[in-house]
């Protein structure tokens, strides 16, 4: 069963993903995400621009652990990297 992963983003990161400039999103390796990413399989992510009604969807290419790009908001320690690809319309 496929599931949609819902994530809230700050406006800056939402806008960078919407423009295609940023193609990864990061989440800290904590029990909350560890549970979500090991229990369920996701093929789509729905991003919310802050707590507004503005949303967009992307396909998930992969979710793995690693060091992300600081210019895209990643810290300097391992995180979950959600690799994105556009939704075919």
């Amino acid at each position: 069963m496929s599931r949609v992963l819902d994530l809230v983003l700050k406006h800056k990161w939402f806008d960078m993903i919407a423009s295609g400039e940023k193609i990864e999103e990061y989440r800290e390796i904590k029990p909350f995400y560890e549970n979500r990413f090991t229990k369920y399989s996701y093929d789509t992510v729905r991003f919310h621009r802050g707590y507004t009604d503005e949303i967009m969807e992307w396909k998930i290419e992969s979710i793995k652990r690693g060091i992300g790009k600081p210019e895209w908001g990643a810290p300097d320690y391992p995180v979950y990297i959600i690799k994105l690809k556009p939704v075919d319309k």
Side-chain angles (χ1 to χ4, degrees), residues 67-83:
I67 303 289
K69 297 183 179 192
E71 63 270 24
W72 290 350
D76 61 353
Y77 50 84
V79 291
Y80 282 110
I81 300 171
I82 304 166
K83 182 80 170 168

Side-chain angles (χ1 to χ4, degrees), residues 3-7 9 13-25 42-48 55-63 82-89:
R3 297 175 60 101
V4 176
L5 177 63
D6 279 287
L7 297 174
L9 298 177
W13 307 128
F14 184 96
D15 295 344
M16 286 178 72
I17 290 172
S19 74
E21 180 182 350
K22 180 179 177 190
I23 57 169
E24 296 176 349
E25 177 53 24
Y42 298 96
D43 60 6
T44 304
V45 60
R46 183 182 306 128
F47 291 117
H48 300 259
I55 61 169
M56 66 176 158
E57 287 190 3
W58 285 72
K59 290 285 187 187
I60 296 175
E61 189 172 302
S62 64
I63 299 175
I82 304 166
K83 182 80 170 168
L84 307 170
K85 62 183 178 177
V87 172
D88 297 327
K89 297 219 175 188

Side-chain angles (χ1 to χ4, degrees), residues 23-54:
I23 57 169
E24 296 176 349
E25 177 53 24
Y26 310 110
R27 288 295 182 258
E28 290 197 38
I29 299 172
K30 292 190 172 190
F32 177 78
Y33 288 111
E34 182 81 27
N35 188 43
R36 288 178 92 180
F37 296 152
T38 57
K39 267 191 174 176
Y40 303 106
S41 175
Y42 298 96
D43 60 6
T44 304
V45 60
R46 183 182 306 128
F47 291 117
H48 300 259
R49 189 172 196 256
Y51 290 96
T52 69
D53 292 336
E54 193 173 347

